[in-house]
Structures are given as C-alpha cells and as structure tokens.
Amino acid sequence: MSKPVPIWALTCLTLTLLLILSLSIHAIASEEDELDGLEELLAIDEEADAEGDGGGGSRTTEAGVVSKAQRIVIELNSESTRRVIDGNEFVLVLGYAPWCVRSAEMMPKFAEAANVLKEMGNPLLLAKIDAERYPKAASGLGIKGFPTLLLFVNGTSQAYNGGFSAEELVIWARKKTGVPVIRLNSVNEAKEFIAKYRTFVVGFFEKYEGTDYEEFRKAAVADNEIQFVETSDIEVARVLYPDLKSPNQFLGIVKSEPEKYVAFEEHFEKDKILNFLECNKFPLVNVLTELNSVKVYSGQVKLQVFVFAEADEFRNIRSTLQEVAAKFKSKVMLIYVDIKEDNLAKPFLTLFGLEESEETVIVAAFDNKASSKYLLESDPSPSNLENFCLGLEQGTLSQYYKSQPIPDNNEAIVQTVVGKTFDDVVLKSHQNVLLEVHTPWCIKCEDMRKQIEKLAKHFKGLNDLIIARIDASVNEHPRLQVDDYPSLLFYPANDKLNPIKLSNKSNLKELATFIKKNVKTSDDTGISTHEQTIRDEL
C-alpha cells in the first residue's frame, strides 16, 4: 500500500504550479502589450515627476531624465525583434555590445534623441538590441559591428548616414519621417528655435512656391545632417540670420563658431545647395572625436591639416588656427587632435614615426586623393602654418617618409639602411645591393636575418656587393614598395630601378648561387674564391 502524500508537499507543489502559471501569463501579456506597458510606465513616471515637484516647479534631476529617456528606447530580444520592426512604420535600431566603448558613448545620446522625438510626437520608434546576447536576431537585421544604426521603414532596412549627437539623430529622424523643413511664423518661434539648434540652414521666401523653393526643399530632403528652417517673414529671418541685408529671397547657413554666418550666393539648385553645405557645414577648426571621425575623413575637402597638441596648448593657438583656416576654407580642412588621446592621435603619429615625440605641437597633413602625407618640420608659427597650407593646396610640399636616425655602418657586416640613406646606399651606389626588408612583428624575419648574416660573412671581401637590411616599420622610401615580409630584393649595379625579388624561402646555397651568377669582381673572375667555404658551410 502506497504512503499518502504529506499535505505540505501538496501545498508546495500547488504553489509552484501557480507561480509558473502566473509567470507564463505575465510573459505572454508582456510580449503582446509591450508598447502599451511602456506608455503606462511613462505615465507613472510623469505622475512621479509631478509629485516630486511638490507644486514648487522644481526640475526633475538629470539622472531621472536620463533614466526616463532610456526607458523610452525599447530593448529588443530574440522573440520581440521582428514583431516590433514589422509592427511599426518607422523603427531606428541601435545594435550594441556591452563591452564596446563607442556603444557606451552612443547610448545616452540615443536615449536623449528618443525623448526629444517623443515630445515632438514623431512616429519614429527607437529600439536597441544587445547583439552579443542575441547574435542570431542581430545578424538577421544586418548588424555586424558596434555600434550599428539601421532604419526600418515598413520592415525594410536602410543604412543610417547621419551624425551621432542627439541633435543630429533627431534631425535625421525628422527628415526620414517626412519633416525635412521646420516652418517658423513668429519671432518667438525663431528665438526658441535658435536656443535649441547650433547649426542650421535658413531659407527666406516671400511665398512657399516656385522653382527655387522646390530646389530648397529637395536639398532639405537630400541632406541628412543639418536642420533646414524656412520663413516668409523678414523679421523672423533676421532673428535667425542677423547678417541678412536684402529683403529678397535668401539662403544661408548658421553655425556656433567665429564664422557664424555664411550666405549662399549661387542659383537655387539642389546640387549647388548641397555642395555649399558640404563646404561650409564644418567648423573652421574641427575637433576630432571618435564619433565624428568618419564624417571628417569622408568629407568633400580632401586636403587636411592635423594639429596635434594638448588641450591647454590648443586653447592658446585656437584663434590663430581659425584665422588660417578661414583663408583656406573649402580648400584645406584644419583638424585638431588631442595628443593625449591615444586612440585618436597615435594612429596618425605612428604614420610619421612620431608616436614617442616630446613636441608640444605637431602639424601634419594628408592629401587623401593622392594618399600622400606631409610634415611641418619648422616652428608652427602663424606664417609657417599658413605657408604649409598654401604649399599643400598648390602641391608644392615635399612628401614625408619615415626614417630612423642615420646609423654608423663602419664596422657592420650587414649594413643598416634607413629612409634617409636609401638613396645613397641602395639607389646611387655603384655596387650591387642585396637588401633584406623586415619588420619587428614578422615571425619568419629572424630566420632570414641569420641567413643574411652568414651570407655577408662569406662574401665579406667582395667589393662589388653590399648586403644590407631595412626595417620597413619605421623607414619609408617612394622606391621601396613591399607588402610581405621578409622580402629579399637584389638591386643590380647597372639597373637600380628594377630590383629582382628573390624567394624568401631560398636557402643559403641558393642565395650564394644567385650571387655567384649575378655579381662579378673587378677582373670579371666571379666569386669562385668563396665557393668552397660556402659549400663547406652548407
């Protein structure tokens, strides 16, 4: 006969089943009513804010605002991703990873933009997904790196190509959801507008019609970064653009920097307006950040001068830089990089071999069309800086190539070549040159180094041959184009411009045979005096 089940066991089992059932019902309801629940949560937040004010009108704490804004952004998961995207006309998705620094920087800006858009009544829904936690769902959306922003319109994705500040996110979102231009009808509206926007395009038209106005609207739709504003009231226009002189039709850009107002002076055509904005949207001196770096590099101005300095030093020279930048606007872009920011500065400085430099100000330049680089090697005074920019614009600067200090090769069996001595030792010498090209990170280079040293000892007395090596990581020359390491290049005495590339798998005997075949002594007897030594060694 079986024993009766104790009452306490039945009670526990019943409670457990009820708990599981409750959680299941809650989960289903949560999935079905996620957006409704979100609205309720925000309503509770607003009530809590009102109670916290206590009728005294005190502002909600900044932390509370951020917390509230972050809750507006829907957190997607494996189950909800497609439902949210397919169930809404406009969804902007942020794909992130918890460990990604740029994702962490992006989160508060994304939340702030969500809060602003909600207050505006914009239909765009902002959502985020932890691509590390839900890799399959993220991959299905097309998220491959972090952070990634994608806009979904009726379930179909579009790449995000706007800026990364909260303001830029809002501008881009409004344009993509059918509000490319803000219309202002009163002076008060204009004052409220300029309190919110640092950079914008203002268009003044007597009537919102005609070919010019249509081109203005087309440009507003095509541009993804700058807020366009229009008015037909001259007083409103002058609040937005105080430098407005004529009551006629007008277009201009406003920025929060010394060069605050720039007028458009061409015919109203979409492409001309967009070109005008591309040349004038940046500050006179751009401060490089990780968030704006892509926009700066991909800008229309391909001649770029970088000024590396500490923040205090930059403040001292900023006005000078702006004066120089104003003279080369739309031709040369000036960019400031905090030299203490390794992630931003070091990759550039390494290109010049200056990552360990103790200079307080370093000025370098790039021609991004020609993939060439230049260095201001004199004092960065205003006149020198201006001449440097002028030389870059006119193409008269000498390209810069990295080089270590000139070495002492008097006792060396294998000569060390650097960027500064490549011409004299390799190209201009009357001897044959066997050059080993190596780098510190090359695993096979150490074996090659030993081979070359043995070879140099065997042919030590051969005057018509120089055996040398160069570290390509810190030395450059326009005639040295190597993409694999180690590389062995043989420069014949009578044809230095056409070096022979030898296999880096060649053994000592094969290298010696090659030298015997290609290098002759002064009496043209070859190198037979070394043959037996090499044969014995092998």
PDB file of all heavy atoms in Angstrom, residues 334-367:
ATOM      1  N   LEU A 334      41.249  72.180 -41.501  1.00  0.00           N
ATOM      2  CA  LEU A 334      42.108  72.116 -40.324  1.00  0.00           C
ATOM      3  C   LEU A 334      41.418  71.289 -39.233  1.00  0.00           C
ATOM      4  O   LEU A 334      40.242  71.505 -38.940  1.00  0.00           O
ATOM      5  CB  LEU A 334      42.437  73.505 -39.794  1.00  0.00           C
ATOM      6  CG  LEU A 334      43.813  74.057 -40.261  1.00  0.00           C
ATOM      7  CD1 LEU A 334      43.762  74.385 -41.747  1.00  0.00           C
ATOM      8  CD2 LEU A 334      44.245  75.254 -39.447  1.00  0.00           C
ATOM      9  N   ILE A 335      42.170  70.368 -38.664  1.00  0.00           N
ATOM     10  CA  ILE A 335      41.618  69.423 -37.685  1.00  0.00           C
ATOM     11  C   ILE A 335      42.518  69.383 -36.460  1.00  0.00           C
ATOM     12  O   ILE A 335      43.739  69.206 -36.581  1.00  0.00           O
ATOM     13  CB  ILE A 335      41.520  68.011 -38.292  1.00  0.00           C
ATOM     14  CG1 ILE A 335      40.646  68.036 -39.557  1.00  0.00           C
ATOM     15  CG2 ILE A 335      40.962  67.008 -37.281  1.00  0.00           C
ATOM     16  CD1 ILE A 335      40.801  66.821 -40.435  1.00  0.00           C
ATOM     17  N   TYR A 336      41.918  69.554 -35.288  1.00  0.00           N
ATOM     18  CA  TYR A 336      42.679  69.464 -34.047  1.00  0.00           C
ATOM     19  C   TYR A 336      42.475  68.085 -33.427  1.00  0.00           C
ATOM     20  O   TYR A 336      41.352  67.574 -33.357  1.00  0.00           O
ATOM     21  CB  TYR A 336      42.244  70.535 -33.042  1.00  0.00           C
ATOM     22  CG  TYR A 336      42.677  70.219 -31.628  1.00  0.00           C
ATOM     23  CD1 TYR A 336      44.022  70.244 -31.264  1.00  0.00           C
ATOM     24  CD2 TYR A 336      41.743  69.846 -30.665  1.00  0.00           C
ATOM     25  CE1 TYR A 336      44.418  69.931 -29.972  1.00  0.00           C
ATOM     26  CE2 TYR A 336      42.132  69.526 -29.369  1.00  0.00           C
ATOM     27  CZ  TYR A 336      43.476  69.574 -29.036  1.00  0.00           C
ATOM     28  OH  TYR A 336      43.872  69.243 -27.760  1.00  0.00           O
ATOM     29  N   VAL A 337      43.583  67.482 -32.953  1.00  0.00           N
ATOM     30  CA  VAL A 337      43.534  66.198 -32.263  1.00  0.00           C
ATOM     31  C   VAL A 337      44.267  66.338 -30.933  1.00  0.00           C
ATOM     32  O   VAL A 337      45.422  66.786 -30.898  1.00  0.00           O
ATOM     33  CB  VAL A 337      44.199  65.078 -33.094  1.00  0.00           C
ATOM     34  CG1 VAL A 337      44.018  63.728 -32.395  1.00  0.00           C
ATOM     35  CG2 VAL A 337      43.622  65.032 -34.498  1.00  0.00           C
ATOM     36  N   ASP A 338      43.596  65.966 -29.856  1.00  0.00           N
ATOM     37  CA  ASP A 338      44.233  65.983 -28.531  1.00  0.00           C
ATOM     38  C   ASP A 338      45.328  64.920 -28.518  1.00  0.00           C
ATOM     39  O   ASP A 338      45.048  63.728 -28.653  1.00  0.00           O
ATOM     40  CB  ASP A 338      43.188  65.684 -27.452  1.00  0.00           C
ATOM     41  CG  ASP A 338      43.748  65.868 -26.040  1.00  0.00           C
ATOM     42  OD1 ASP A 338      44.994  65.823 -25.868  1.00  0.00           O
ATOM     43  OD2 ASP A 338      42.947  66.036 -25.101  1.00  0.00           O
ATOM     44  N   ILE A 339      46.566  65.358 -28.364  1.00  0.00           N
ATOM     45  CA  ILE A 339      47.702  64.444 -28.458  1.00  0.00           C
ATOM     46  C   ILE A 339      47.717  63.418 -27.318  1.00  0.00           C
ATOM     47  O   ILE A 339      48.381  62.378 -27.412  1.00  0.00           O
ATOM     48  CB  ILE A 339      49.018  65.258 -28.475  1.00  0.00           C
ATOM     49  CG1 ILE A 339      50.144  64.454 -29.133  1.00  0.00           C
ATOM     50  CG2 ILE A 339      49.407  65.717 -27.068  1.00  0.00           C
ATOM     51  CD1 ILE A 339      51.364  65.280 -29.473  1.00  0.00           C
ATOM     52  N   LYS A 340      46.949  63.686 -26.263  1.00  0.00           N
ATOM     53  CA  LYS A 340      46.864  62.742 -25.138  1.00  0.00           C
ATOM     54  C   LYS A 340      45.850  61.627 -25.392  1.00  0.00           C
ATOM     55  O   LYS A 340      45.806  60.643 -24.656  1.00  0.00           O
ATOM     56  CB  LYS A 340      46.481  63.493 -23.855  1.00  0.00           C
ATOM     57  CG  LYS A 340      47.544  64.467 -23.354  1.00  0.00           C
ATOM     58  CD  LYS A 340      48.803  63.736 -22.945  1.00  0.00           C
ATOM     59  CE  LYS A 340      49.826  64.698 -22.343  1.00  0.00           C
ATOM     60  NZ  LYS A 340      51.074  64.005 -21.951  1.00  0.00           N
ATOM     61  N   GLU A 341      45.012  61.806 -26.405  1.00  0.00           N
ATOM     62  CA  GLU A 341      44.010  60.788 -26.740  1.00  0.00           C
ATOM     63  C   GLU A 341      44.647  59.749 -27.667  1.00  0.00           C
ATOM     64  O   GLU A 341      44.654  59.895 -28.879  1.00  0.00           O
ATOM     65  CB  GLU A 341      42.802  61.435 -27.416  1.00  0.00           C
ATOM     66  CG  GLU A 341      41.978  62.330 -26.517  1.00  0.00           C
ATOM     67  CD  GLU A 341      41.115  61.527 -25.555  1.00  0.00           C
ATOM     68  OE1 GLU A 341      40.950  60.311 -25.761  1.00  0.00           O
ATOM     69  OE2 GLU A 341      40.624  62.127 -24.578  1.00  0.00           O
ATOM     70  N   ASP A 342      45.194  58.695 -27.074  1.00  0.00           N
ATOM     71  CA  ASP A 342      45.942  57.709 -27.858  1.00  0.00           C
ATOM     72  C   ASP A 342      45.133  57.098 -28.990  1.00  0.00           C
ATOM     73  O   ASP A 342      45.648  56.892 -30.097  1.00  0.00           O
ATOM     74  CB  ASP A 342      46.455  56.585 -26.946  1.00  0.00           C
ATOM     75  CG  ASP A 342      47.754  56.979 -26.240  1.00  0.00           C
ATOM     76  OD1 ASP A 342      48.291  58.044 -26.568  1.00  0.00           O
ATOM     77  OD2 ASP A 342      48.207  56.231 -25.369  1.00  0.00           O
ATOM     78  N   ASN A 343      43.865  56.789 -28.743  1.00  0.00           N
ATOM     79  CA  ASN A 343      43.049  56.154 -29.777  1.00  0.00           C
ATOM     80  C   ASN A 343      42.894  57.037 -31.008  1.00  0.00           C
ATOM     81  O   ASN A 343      42.740  56.532 -32.127  1.00  0.00           O
ATOM     82  CB  ASN A 343      41.656  55.810 -29.222  1.00  0.00           C
ATOM     83  CG  ASN A 343      41.705  54.664 -28.239  1.00  0.00           C
ATOM     84  OD1 ASN A 343      42.666  53.908 -28.202  1.00  0.00           O
ATOM     85  ND2 ASN A 343      40.664  54.535 -27.432  1.00  0.00           N
ATOM     86  N   LEU A 344      42.929  58.336 -30.812  1.00  0.00           N
ATOM     87  CA  LEU A 344      42.765  59.264 -31.932  1.00  0.00           C
ATOM     88  C   LEU A 344      44.108  59.702 -32.507  1.00  0.00           C
ATOM     89  O   LEU A 344      44.290  59.743 -33.726  1.00  0.00           O
ATOM     90  CB  LEU A 344      41.980  60.493 -31.476  1.00  0.00           C
ATOM     91  CG  LEU A 344      40.514  60.265 -31.081  1.00  0.00           C
ATOM     92  CD1 LEU A 344      39.939  61.535 -30.468  1.00  0.00           C
ATOM     93  CD2 LEU A 344      39.697  59.829 -32.288  1.00  0.00           C
ATOM     94  N   ALA A 345      45.043  60.054 -31.638  1.00  0.00           N
ATOM     95  CA  ALA A 345      46.298  60.655 -32.100  1.00  0.00           C
ATOM     96  C   ALA A 345      47.339  59.632 -32.555  1.00  0.00           C
ATOM     97  O   ALA A 345      48.010  59.824 -33.572  1.00  0.00           O
ATOM     98  CB  ALA A 345      46.886  61.529 -30.995  1.00  0.00           C
ATOM     99  N   LYS A 346      47.468  58.546 -31.802  1.00  0.00           N
ATOM    100  CA  LYS A 346      48.582  57.617 -32.048  1.00  0.00           C
ATOM    101  C   LYS A 346      48.579  57.003 -33.448  1.00  0.00           C
ATOM    102  O   LYS A 346      49.647  56.899 -34.076  1.00  0.00           O
ATOM    103  CB  LYS A 346      48.596  56.521 -30.989  1.00  0.00           C
ATOM    104  CG  LYS A 346      49.917  55.771 -30.920  1.00  0.00           C
ATOM    105  CD  LYS A 346      50.011  54.929 -29.664  1.00  0.00           C
ATOM    106  CE  LYS A 346      51.385  54.288 -29.550  1.00  0.00           C
ATOM    107  NZ  LYS A 346      51.512  53.504 -28.297  1.00  0.00           N
ATOM    108  N   PRO A 347      47.422  56.589 -33.992  1.00  0.00           N
ATOM    109  CA  PRO A 347      47.459  56.022 -35.350  1.00  0.00           C
ATOM    110  C   PRO A 347      48.033  56.981 -36.384  1.00  0.00           C
ATOM    111  O   PRO A 347      48.734  56.558 -37.308  1.00  0.00           O
ATOM    112  CB  PRO A 347      45.977  55.719 -35.634  1.00  0.00           C
ATOM    113  CG  PRO A 347      45.369  55.523 -34.294  1.00  0.00           C
ATOM    114  CD  PRO A 347      46.079  56.492 -33.394  1.00  0.00           C
ATOM    115  N   PHE A 348      47.764  58.280 -36.226  1.00  0.00           N
ATOM    116  CA  PHE A 348      48.313  59.268 -37.156  1.00  0.00           C
ATOM    117  C   PHE A 348      49.801  59.484 -36.908  1.00  0.00           C
ATOM    118  O   PHE A 348      50.603  59.508 -37.845  1.00  0.00           O
ATOM    119  CB  PHE A 348      47.574  60.598 -37.014  1.00  0.00           C
ATOM    120  CG  PHE A 348      46.155  60.570 -37.500  1.00  0.00           C
ATOM    121  CD1 PHE A 348      45.107  60.499 -36.611  1.00  0.00           C
ATOM    122  CD2 PHE A 348      45.874  60.604 -38.853  1.00  0.00           C
ATOM    123  CE1 PHE A 348      43.797  60.473 -37.046  1.00  0.00           C
ATOM    124  CE2 PHE A 348      44.567  60.581 -39.310  1.00  0.00           C
ATOM    125  CZ  PHE A 348      43.519  60.512 -38.402  1.00  0.00           C
ATOM    126  N   LEU A 349      50.153  59.663 -35.643  1.00  0.00           N
ATOM    127  CA  LEU A 349      51.556  59.949 -35.321  1.00  0.00           C
ATOM    128  C   LEU A 349      52.463  58.787 -35.702  1.00  0.00           C
ATOM    129  O   LEU A 349      53.610  58.989 -36.087  1.00  0.00           O
ATOM    130  CB  LEU A 349      51.680  60.261 -33.824  1.00  0.00           C
ATOM    131  CG  LEU A 349      50.965  61.540 -33.364  1.00  0.00           C
ATOM    132  CD1 LEU A 349      51.077  61.694 -31.854  1.00  0.00           C
ATOM    133  CD2 LEU A 349      51.545  62.767 -34.065  1.00  0.00           C
ATOM    134  N   THR A 350      51.933  57.570 -35.605  1.00  0.00           N
ATOM    135  CA  THR A 350      52.713  56.391 -35.992  1.00  0.00           C
ATOM    136  C   THR A 350      53.066  56.440 -37.476  1.00  0.00           C
ATOM    137  O   THR A 350      54.134  55.968 -37.884  1.00  0.00           O
ATOM    138  CB  THR A 350      51.930  55.107 -35.678  1.00  0.00           C
ATOM    139  OG1 THR A 350      51.658  55.059 -34.276  1.00  0.00           O
ATOM    140  CG2 THR A 350      52.730  53.869 -36.056  1.00  0.00           C
ATOM    141  N   LEU A 351      52.202  57.001 -38.283  1.00  0.00           N
ATOM    142  CA  LEU A 351      52.477  57.114 -39.715  1.00  0.00           C
ATOM    143  C   LEU A 351      53.696  57.982 -40.000  1.00  0.00           C
ATOM    144  O   LEU A 351      54.313  57.882 -41.053  1.00  0.00           O
ATOM    145  CB  LEU A 351      51.258  57.701 -40.444  1.00  0.00           C
ATOM    146  CG  LEU A 351      49.991  56.842 -40.455  1.00  0.00           C
ATOM    147  CD1 LEU A 351      48.840  57.611 -41.079  1.00  0.00           C
ATOM    148  CD2 LEU A 351      50.230  55.539 -41.204  1.00  0.00           C
ATOM    149  N   PHE A 352      54.026  58.845 -39.033  1.00  0.00           N
ATOM    150  CA  PHE A 352      55.188  59.729 -39.183  1.00  0.00           C
ATOM    151  C   PHE A 352      56.354  59.291 -38.287  1.00  0.00           C
ATOM    152  O   PHE A 352      57.379  59.966 -38.240  1.00  0.00           O
ATOM    153  CB  PHE A 352      54.794  61.167 -38.838  1.00  0.00           C
ATOM    154  CG  PHE A 352      53.803  61.767 -39.783  1.00  0.00           C
ATOM    155  CD1 PHE A 352      52.445  61.588 -39.600  1.00  0.00           C
ATOM    156  CD2 PHE A 352      54.225  62.506 -40.886  1.00  0.00           C
ATOM    157  CE1 PHE A 352      51.518  62.130 -40.479  1.00  0.00           C
ATOM    158  CE2 PHE A 352      53.310  63.058 -41.782  1.00  0.00           C
ATOM    159  CZ  PHE A 352      51.950  62.861 -41.574  1.00  0.00           C
ATOM    160  N   GLY A 353      56.166  58.199 -37.565  1.00  0.00           N
ATOM    161  CA  GLY A 353      57.203  57.747 -36.632  1.00  0.00           C
ATOM    162  C   GLY A 353      57.363  58.674 -35.449  1.00  0.00           C
ATOM    163  O   GLY A 353      58.436  58.760 -34.850  1.00  0.00           O
ATOM    164  N   LEU A 354      56.287  59.384 -35.072  1.00  0.00           N
ATOM    165  CA  LEU A 354      56.366  60.402 -34.024  1.00  0.00           C
ATOM    166  C   LEU A 354      55.526  60.053 -32.801  1.00  0.00           C
ATOM    167  O   LEU A 354      55.214  60.923 -31.989  1.00  0.00           O
ATOM    168  CB  LEU A 354      55.899  61.761 -34.584  1.00  0.00           C
ATOM    169  CG  LEU A 354      56.728  62.327 -35.732  1.00  0.00           C
ATOM    170  CD1 LEU A 354      56.055  63.572 -36.295  1.00  0.00           C
ATOM    171  CD2 LEU A 354      58.144  62.648 -35.263  1.00  0.00           C
ATOM    172  N   GLU A 355      55.163  58.771 -32.657  1.00  0.00           N
ATOM    173  CA  GLU A 355      54.297  58.397 -31.537  1.00  0.00           C
ATOM    174  C   GLU A 355      54.960  58.598 -30.179  1.00  0.00           C
ATOM    175  O   GLU A 355      54.280  58.721 -29.156  1.00  0.00           O
ATOM    176  CB  GLU A 355      53.830  56.943 -31.685  1.00  0.00           C
ATOM    177  CG  GLU A 355      54.938  55.914 -31.721  1.00  0.00           C
ATOM    178  CD  GLU A 355      55.465  55.646 -33.123  1.00  0.00           C
ATOM    179  OE1 GLU A 355      55.387  56.553 -33.980  1.00  0.00           O
ATOM    180  OE2 GLU A 355      55.954  54.531 -33.351  1.00  0.00           O
ATOM    181  N   GLU A 356      56.293  58.661 -30.146  1.00  0.00           N
ATOM    182  CA  GLU A 356      57.011  58.892 -28.886  1.00  0.00           C
ATOM    183  C   GLU A 356      57.593  60.307 -28.810  1.00  0.00           C
ATOM    184  O   GLU A 356      58.388  60.607 -27.934  1.00  0.00           O
ATOM    185  CB  GLU A 356      58.144  57.868 -28.737  1.00  0.00           C
ATOM    186  CG  GLU A 356      57.701  56.406 -28.789  1.00  0.00           C
ATOM    187  CD  GLU A 356      56.735  56.053 -27.676  1.00  0.00           C
ATOM    188  OE1 GLU A 356      56.816  56.684 -26.599  1.00  0.00           O
ATOM    189  OE2 GLU A 356      55.892  55.161 -27.874  1.00  0.00           O
ATOM    190  N   SER A 357      57.190  61.162 -29.723  1.00  0.00           N
ATOM    191  CA  SER A 357      57.735  62.522 -29.769  1.00  0.00           C
ATOM    192  C   SER A 357      57.357  63.308 -28.516  1.00  0.00           C
ATOM    193  O   SER A 357      56.275  63.138 -27.956  1.00  0.00           O
ATOM    194  CB  SER A 357      57.225  63.251 -31.013  1.00  0.00           C
ATOM    195  OG  SER A 357      57.624  64.608 -30.999  1.00  0.00           O
ATOM    196  N   GLU A 358      58.260  64.185 -28.096  1.00  0.00           N
ATOM    197  CA  GLU A 358      58.011  65.048 -26.939  1.00  0.00           C
ATOM    198  C   GLU A 358      57.640  66.471 -27.354  1.00  0.00           C
ATOM    199  O   GLU A 358      57.536  67.367 -26.511  1.00  0.00           O
ATOM    200  CB  GLU A 358      59.248  65.072 -26.042  1.00  0.00           C
ATOM    201  CG  GLU A 358      59.567  63.710 -25.428  1.00  0.00           C
ATOM    202  CD  GLU A 358      60.761  63.745 -24.496  1.00  0.00           C
ATOM    203  OE1 GLU A 358      61.357  64.832 -24.345  1.00  0.00           O
ATOM    204  OE2 GLU A 358      61.105  62.696 -23.931  1.00  0.00           O
ATOM    205  N   GLU A 359      57.411  66.686 -28.645  1.00  0.00           N
ATOM    206  CA  GLU A 359      56.998  68.002 -29.136  1.00  0.00           C
ATOM    207  C   GLU A 359      55.617  68.341 -28.576  1.00  0.00           C
ATOM    208  O   GLU A 359      54.741  67.477 -28.459  1.00  0.00           O
ATOM    209  CB  GLU A 359      56.937  68.013 -30.660  1.00  0.00           C
ATOM    210  CG  GLU A 359      58.284  67.846 -31.346  1.00  0.00           C
ATOM    211  CD  GLU A 359      59.150  69.080 -31.198  1.00  0.00           C
ATOM    212  OE1 GLU A 359      58.592  70.190 -31.032  1.00  0.00           O
ATOM    213  OE2 GLU A 359      60.390  68.948 -31.238  1.00  0.00           O
ATOM    214  N   THR A 360      55.404  69.606 -28.223  1.00  0.00           N
ATOM    215  CA  THR A 360      54.107  70.012 -27.669  1.00  0.00           C
ATOM    216  C   THR A 360      53.072  70.261 -28.754  1.00  0.00           C
ATOM    217  O   THR A 360      51.868  70.144 -28.522  1.00  0.00           O
ATOM    218  CB  THR A 360      54.258  71.281 -26.817  1.00  0.00           C
ATOM    219  OG1 THR A 360      54.830  72.327 -27.632  1.00  0.00           O
ATOM    220  CG2 THR A 360      55.152  71.022 -25.622  1.00  0.00           C
ATOM    221  N   VAL A 361      53.538  70.628 -29.954  1.00  0.00           N
ATOM    222  CA  VAL A 361      52.640  70.831 -31.089  1.00  0.00           C
ATOM    223  C   VAL A 361      53.255  70.170 -32.320  1.00  0.00           C
ATOM    224  O   VAL A 361      54.415  70.419 -32.651  1.00  0.00           O
ATOM    225  CB  VAL A 361      52.407  72.329 -31.389  1.00  0.00           C
ATOM    226  CG1 VAL A 361      51.475  72.482 -32.595  1.00  0.00           C
ATOM    227  CG2 VAL A 361      51.830  73.048 -30.186  1.00  0.00           C
ATOM    228  N   ILE A 362      52.477  69.309 -32.970  1.00  0.00           N
ATOM    229  CA  ILE A 362      52.921  68.646 -34.202  1.00  0.00           C
ATOM    230  C   ILE A 362      51.884  68.942 -35.279  1.00  0.00           C
ATOM    231  O   ILE A 362      50.687  68.763 -35.069  1.00  0.00           O
ATOM    232  CB  ILE A 362      53.058  67.127 -34.008  1.00  0.00           C
ATOM    233  CG1 ILE A 362      54.150  66.822 -32.975  1.00  0.00           C
ATOM    234  CG2 ILE A 362      53.375  66.435 -35.334  1.00  0.00           C
ATOM    235  CD1 ILE A 362      54.257  65.354 -32.607  1.00  0.00           C
ATOM    236  N   VAL A 363      52.362  69.412 -36.425  1.00  0.00           N
ATOM    237  CA  VAL A 363      51.460  69.730 -37.529  1.00  0.00           C
ATOM    238  C   VAL A 363      51.789  68.813 -38.707  1.00  0.00           C
ATOM    239  O   VAL A 363      52.927  68.770 -39.173  1.00  0.00           O
ATOM    240  CB  VAL A 363      51.591  71.204 -37.965  1.00  0.00           C
ATOM    241  CG1 VAL A 363      50.669  71.494 -39.148  1.00  0.00           C
ATOM    242  CG2 VAL A 363      51.270  72.135 -36.797  1.00  0.00           C
ATOM    243  N   ALA A 364      50.796  68.076 -39.151  1.00  0.00           N
ATOM    244  CA  ALA A 364      50.965  67.149 -40.272  1.00  0.00           C
ATOM    245  C   ALA A 364      49.811  67.341 -41.241  1.00  0.00           C
ATOM    246  O   ALA A 364      48.798  67.959 -40.912  1.00  0.00           O
ATOM    247  CB  ALA A 364      51.009  65.710 -39.774  1.00  0.00           C
ATOM    248  N   ALA A 365      49.963  66.809 -42.448  1.00  0.00           N
ATOM    249  CA  ALA A 365      48.918  66.987 -43.458  1.00  0.00           C
ATOM    250  C   ALA A 365      48.785  65.736 -44.301  1.00  0.00           C
ATOM    251  O   ALA A 365      49.724  64.936 -44.434  1.00  0.00           O
ATOM    252  CB  ALA A 365      49.242  68.186 -44.348  1.00  0.00           C
ATOM    253  N   PHE A 366      47.584  65.581 -44.880  1.00  0.00           N
ATOM    254  CA  PHE A 366      47.306  64.451 -45.758  1.00  0.00           C
ATOM    255  C   PHE A 366      46.570  64.944 -47.001  1.00  0.00           C
ATOM    256  O   PHE A 366      45.687  65.793 -46.911  1.00  0.00           O
ATOM    257  CB  PHE A 366      46.427  63.414 -45.052  1.00  0.00           C
ATOM    258  CG  PHE A 366      47.077  62.772 -43.863  1.00  0.00           C
ATOM    259  CD1 PHE A 366      46.951  63.337 -42.603  1.00  0.00           C
ATOM    260  CD2 PHE A 366      47.814  61.608 -44.001  1.00  0.00           C
ATOM    261  CE1 PHE A 366      47.553  62.760 -41.499  1.00  0.00           C
ATOM    262  CE2 PHE A 366      48.417  61.017 -42.900  1.00  0.00           C
ATOM    263  CZ  PHE A 366      48.293  61.586 -41.651  1.00  0.00           C
ATOM    264  N   ASP A 367      46.973  64.398 -48.136  1.00  0.00           N
ATOM    265  CA  ASP A 367      46.209  64.564 -49.366  1.00  0.00           C
ATOM    266  C   ASP A 367      45.504  63.230 -49.578  1.00  0.00           C
ATOM    267  O   ASP A 367      46.104  62.255 -50.035  1.00  0.00           O
ATOM    268  CB  ASP A 367      47.138  64.878 -50.542  1.00  0.00           C
ATOM    269  CG  ASP A 367      46.377  65.084 -51.846  1.00  0.00           C
ATOM    270  OD1 ASP A 367      45.202  64.672 -51.921  1.00  0.00           O
ATOM    271  OD2 ASP A 367      46.951  65.639 -52.792  1.00  0.00           O
TER     272      ASP A 367
END
